[in-house]
Amino acid sequence: MGGVARTFASKKIEAPAMTYIGGEEMSWYTMQLIMDKWVKPFVDTSKWEYYDLSCKARDETDDKVLHDAVASGQRTGAIFKEPTITPSTEQVKSMGLKKPFGSPNGAMRRGWNGITISRDTIHIPGIKLGFDRPVFFERHAIGGEYAAGWKSVGKGRVLTTFFPEDMKTAPTIIDGREVKDNESAVVVYDNPLDNVEDLAHIFFSRCLEASIVPYVVTKKTVFKWQEGFWQKMKKVFDEHYKEKYLAAGLLDGCGGDLVHLISDAATMQIIRWTGGGFGMACHNYDGDMLTDEVAQVHRSPGFITSNLVGKKPDGTLIKEFEASHGTVADLWHAHLRGEETSMNPLGMVVALLGAMDHAAMLAGEEEKVKKFTTECKAAVYKAFQTGNGTRDLNGPSGLTTEKFVDWVAAELEVKMASPTLSDPEAMPAQESAPSRKFRKAYKNIDESAMQKFFDKYDTDANGTICFEEFVDMTMELGIAPLKPEGVMAQRDKKEEVELA
């Protein structure tokens, strides 16, 4: 093992410049292990620009480190970000901070001219998670409630007025109303629309390439100001993509056109469409809420990407890659207590490799890092496929945080020494699905009662239920599937009872 590592150490891959933003707690600790044992033995990262965005670093620099990180990302155009903490009032006191620093995301979105936050499901071939096929999301990265101004007021009147940039043009009153309660929150925000065309091109091109069906989501039936978002998306689709989608057969189930979904309907369809193969584009707030739902259907936020896409003045896309989960504080505190942990770093690893690939693309050196990014992903996938993953997928026999990192490091070493290139997307011999026993809800299940329930129908006590026993069980429980004539008879009987 050491010999191979030393061979590569003298022939490290020189990674193009990118920005690396460090975070905190368990995600930071795990990424340190990954950098030391997966990345540094094979990759020269001397061109990377590193910024520590921990609360302590932000406090010590009066947040200059955040501004420097944003400027770096503007220069490099490729950014990897570990999960960070937005400190609560209690954390400000416990950490001894000068003030409660806000989320860095707003500064990043503004500094990188954010267009969209792309959030997609991650799939490990051969392992059933939630959705069978990819689900793509484009969340408008600016505007809406997240950029709102507000005040708490009493009884009185509120007048919202727009003053044009051209001061010769008369102001326009947007809204005027009487506030009658003793306490009200008055909120003002806007939904910028100039970059919706860019979002549309990103969304429709990604969906087309992945052969998935696109949908646009708004609440425009009630929130009339959202009509502009739909109209701009539809215009780009009709002019640039509709014929391509028709030719690919992706609109066959949609009446041959782009479909608009009310956000309420989208919420229901996400639960129903577990086959995947769809994408949704929506406003900032809707995107935030709906992608949380996607994460729950697809097991957890650890299996969802979160990539901010912005734009340089010359039109070059800036891409920031991160996991959609947080710092995993509960595992961090367990680690500090000296307890075993089993942290799944998949989302962060996919983000890191994505940032490296994008940096290489911007530098015109895609082939330079392809070997490492491909083999690293293949090694991580293989860990889960062979039962050597973390416990959230592989159960109690899964590996600890440190042992998982070590297992992948050994596998990566072998793969990097091979002259052939792995295919991470290749399907393993047999598909496996993580047992539902490993989900959090299982802790509320009465296992002894379940065993008695099983024994009742295992009439020959051989530890299995044969088909005849299964039929008896479903009939007694009233869940046996009925023939069409049986359904009709059951319905007629129900109607007779209701009329009696």
Side-chain angles (χ1 to χ4, degrees):
M1 182 174 175
V4 177
R6 283 193 293 273
T7 299
F8 271 92
S10 61
K11 297 180 181 178
K12 287 187 179 182
I13 298 167
E14 185 179 328
M18 70 177 223
T19 304
Y20 189 115
I21 296 176
E24 300 208 50
E25 298 189 324
M26 197 66 193
S27 54
W28 168 84
Y29 168 73
T30 307
M31 282 307 303
Q32 294 305 299
L33 295 177
I34 288 170
M35 286 296 296
D36 288 341
K37 298 189 177 185
W38 299 1
V39 179
K40 291 180 180 178
F42 307 105
V43 182
D44 176 359
T45 62
S46 58
K47 291 185 178 180
W48 291 7
E49 300 180 16
Y50 180 84
Y51 295 88
D52 176 5
L53 221 58
S54 65
C55 290
K56 286 289 187 182
R58 294 181 68 183
D59 190 68
E60 291 170 358
T61 64
D62 291 322
D63 227 12
K64 182 177 183 297
V65 65
L66 171 59
H67 300 293
D68 290 346
V70 171
S72 172
Q74 177 75 21
R75 284 194 307 274
T76 65
I79 305 102
F80 167 70
K81 177 180 172 289
E82 295 175 6
T84 53
I85 292 176
T86 299
S88 63
T89 302
E90 292 75 17
Q91 287 174 316
V92 170
K93 293 179 181 177
S94 64
M95 293 181 184
L97 306 178
K98 292 192 283 287
K99 62 179 182 179
F101 292 95
S103 169
N105 294 334
M108 292 174 179
R109 292 168 193 170
R110 291 189 299 272
W112 300 330
N113 298 314
I115 300 167
T116 180
I117 301 166
S118 302
R119 288 185 171 171
D120 306 338
T121 53
I122 299 172
H123 297 260
I124 303 173
I127 294 182
K128 172 71 174 173
L129 292 171
F131 295 101
D132 296 332
R133 297 184 57 218
V135 173
F136 288 179
F137 250 90
E138 300 297 346
R139 169 189 167 192
H140 199 198
I142 56 174
E145 293 87 335
Y146 298 92
W150 69 281
K151 289 290 183 182
S152 181
V153 300
K155 294 180 179 180
R157 286 164 294 281
V158 175
L159 186 67
T160 308
T161 307
F162 168 69
F163 293 88
E165 191 174 47
D166 176 11
M167 298 303 290
K168 296 179 181 179
T169 305
T172 301
I173 295 177
I174 304 298
D175 180 72
R177 65 181 60 209
E178 186 177 358
V179 182
K180 298 180 180 180
D181 282 21
N182 290 324
E183 183 178 359
S184 293
V186 176
V187 184
V188 180
Y189 66 82
D190 67 310
N191 281 321
L193 298 175
D194 284 358
N195 66 5
V196 172
E197 286 90 349
D198 288 329
L199 184 154
H201 282 294
I202 292 169
F203 178 58
F204 293 132
S205 61
R206 290 199 324 117
C207 289
L208 184 61
E209 183 180 1
S211 296
I212 63 178
V213 182
Y215 296 86
V216 176
V217 179
T218 75
K219 185 77 169 178
K220 68 188 184 75
T221 50
V222 177
F223 302 145
K224 302 301 183 183
W225 61 86
Q226 294 188 355
E227 179 69 33
F229 183 86
W230 159 249
Q231 292 293 344
K232 284 178 175 287
M233 294 291 292
K234 184 71 165 65
K235 184 173 184 291
V236 171
F237 181 81
D238 289 344
E239 291 181 3
H240 301 278
Y241 296 95
K242 185 173 183 177
E243 293 303 319
K244 297 175 183 177
Y245 274 88
L246 287 170
L250 293 172
L251 302 180
D252 291 351
C254 305
D257 207 350
L258 177 67
V259 173
H260 172 270
L261 289 177
I262 299 299
S263 52
D264 310 60
T267 302
M268 294 305 300
Q269 299 299 14
I270 287 171
I271 298 172
R272 292 172 178 160
W273 292 346
T274 54
F278 65 89
M280 294 182 179
C282 44
H283 280 286
N284 203 345
Y285 181 77
D286 282 347
D288 197 4
M289 297 299 102
L290 292 175
T291 52
D292 282 346
E293 185 182 11
V294 168
Q296 291 309 308
V297 174
H298 203 57
R299 198 170 181 86
S300 81
F303 300 103
I304 307 291
T305 65
S306 184
N307 307 328
L308 171 65
V309 182
K311 199 180 205 180
K312 292 185 178 183
D314 65 1
T316 303
L317 292 183
I318 298 172
K319 292 187 178 182
E320 179 247 4
F321 299 78
E322 61 179 312
S324 64
H325 61 72
T327 58
V328 200
D330 56 340
L331 291 187
W332 177 241
H333 294 307
H335 171 73
L336 292 179
R337 291 192 299 268
E339 300 171 12
E340 276 191 355
T341 63
S342 186
M343 165 78 182
N344 184 348
L346 180 63
M348 295 190 295
V349 173
V350 170
L352 176 65
L353 301 180
M356 292 178 66
D357 283 335
H358 184 61
M361 186 276 292
L362 292 176
E365 301 174 350
E366 292 94 330
E367 293 300 317
K368 183 175 282 190
V369 301
K370 183 178 180 179
K371 174 69 175 174
F372 175 78
T373 57
T374 301
E375 301 297 2
C376 187
K377 182 182 289 187
V380 173
Y381 284 4
K382 186 174 179 180
F384 290 107
Q385 291 163 342
T386 57
N388 292 289
T390 45
R391 293 168 185 167
D392 57 337
L393 275 188
N394 292 131
S397 63
L399 304 181
T400 64
T401 304
E402 294 79 8
K403 288 182 179 178
F404 173 76
V405 171
D406 288 341
W407 193 97
V408 174
E411 181 65 23
L412 178 58
E413 192 171 64
V414 173
K415 289 182 177 297
M416 289 297 289
S418 172
T420 59
L421 191 66
S422 298
D423 180 6
E425 305 306 324
M427 185 66 70
Q430 185 176 359
E431 182 168 345
S432 60
S435 171
R436 291 180 181 270
K437 290 180 67 173
F438 306 140
R439 298 195 174 189
K440 290 182 178 179
Y442 189 77
K443 66 183 180 181
N444 297 318
I445 300 296
D446 186 339
E447 198 168 80
S448 61
M450 288 288 289
Q451 185 64 53
K452 291 178 182 178
F453 184 72
F454 177 86
D455 292 341
K456 177 181 178 181
Y457 297 102
D458 180 19
T459 55
D460 54 7
N462 68 346
T464 63
I465 293 179
C466 67
F467 182 71
E468 288 76 13
E469 293 168 331
F470 177 73
V471 170
D472 290 341
M473 181 180 71
T474 57
M475 290 183 68
E476 184 173 334
L477 294 175
I479 59 173
L482 300 178
K483 295 178 180 179
E485 55 266 30
V487 174
M488 295 292 290
Q490 192 179 70
R491 187 193 68 180
D492 293 342
K493 184 178 181 180
K494 181 179 179 182
E495 289 178 351
E496 289 176 4
V497 171
E498 290 175 348
L499 291 173

